[in-house]
């Protein structure tokens, strides 16, 4: 069974280690850097800080270990983020095909319905869930202990075209480390 994983994320993405106590300070550094030279109001900085902190805290409560933030937006908006989480099996089916069917059944009907599919990645079989602004990739961990979940979000540009391809490439870079 692997001890760890490796994931290639572009240099422009700011990494926050949610497993360490200093994650709040890392997020504050990110917000301060994004505000530099942009004449961002104190209120906007507080709002961005609160949103990111709440996202990180909710992620930590669900097993998130890392939080990546894309920093290249000219207007200070957050173009994309990635939460990396460990999801123990629990009620989750251990077979990716069964898990995909289980997720598919939970998708509401209508235009916002996300596309669920099974994908083969170098790290193993995964379940890919594509929405208008999100992409989740659940990769079964060796030994069947759970899924490593990569939760991408791109609220400004949406999850299509170049952003979708970039997120798929990041997911495809996942490797297990012995």
């Amino acid at each position: 069974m692997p001890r760890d994983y490796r994931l290639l994320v572009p240099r422009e993405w700011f990494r926050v280690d949610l497993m360490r106590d200093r994650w709040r300070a890392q997020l504050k550094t990110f917000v301060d850097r994004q505000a530099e030279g942009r004449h961002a109001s104190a209120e906007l900085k507080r709002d961005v800080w609160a949103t990111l902190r709440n996202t990180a805290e909710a992620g930590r409560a669900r097993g998130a270990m890392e939080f990546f933030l894309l920093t290249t937006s000219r207007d200070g908006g957050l173009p994309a983020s990635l939460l990396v989480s460990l999801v123990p099996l629990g009620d989750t089916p251990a077979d990716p095909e069964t898990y995909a069917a289980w997720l598919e059944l939970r998708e509401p009907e209508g235009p916002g319905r996300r596309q669920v599919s099974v994908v083969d990645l170098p790290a193993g079989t995964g379940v890919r869930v594509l929405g208008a602004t999100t992409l989740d990739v659940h990769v079964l961990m060796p030994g069947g202990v759970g899924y490593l979940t990569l939760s991408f979000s791109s609220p400004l540009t949406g999850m299509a075209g170049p952003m979708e391809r970039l997120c798929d490439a990041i997911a495809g870079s996942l490797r297990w480390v012995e």
Side-chain angles (χ1 to χ4, degrees), residues 35 63 65 73 76 81 91 96 110 113 116 125 130 137-138 149 158 160-161 163 169:
M65 300 175 291
S73 176
S81 65
D91 295 333
R113 185 177 177 90
V116 180
T125 304
L130 177 66
V137 181
H138 310 273
T149 298
M163 185 58 71

Side-chain angles (χ1 to χ4, degrees), residues 1-64:
M1 179 150 134
R3 290 183 288 106
D4 207 353
Y5 63 91
R6 186 170 327 151
L7 193 63
L8 298 176
V9 179
R11 190 172 285 127
E12 302 85 40
W13 292 55
F14 186 90
R15 179 183 180 266
V16 177
D17 183 347
L18 296 176
M19 302 296 286
R20 310 241 177 198
D21 289 336
R22 67 178 187 265
W23 69 267
R24 285 181 182 83
Q26 289 177 321
L27 266 184
K28 174 124 180 47
T29 298
F30 173 79
V31 172
D32 290 345
R33 281 187 193 166
Q34 288 299 288
E36 283 175 13
R38 288 200 170 92
H39 308 293
S41 69
E43 181 182 0
L44 177 62
K45 278 178 65 173
R46 270 193 311 276
D47 289 350
V48 169
W49 158 248
T51 299
L52 293 177
R53 184 199 62 225
N54 292 343
T55 301
E57 286 175 349
R60 280 176 46 105
R62 294 187 317 273

Side-chain angles (χ1 to χ4, degrees), residues 152-164:
F152 297 94
S153 176
S154 182
L156 299 181
T157 62
M159 194 54 69
M163 185 58 71
E164 180 182 359

Side-chain angles (χ1 to χ4, degrees), residues 66-82:
E66 293 184 288
F67 191 18
F68 292 91
L69 304 156
L70 180 57
T71 61
T72 57
S73 176
R74 285 179 221 85
D75 63 1
L78 185 67
S81 65
L82 163 61

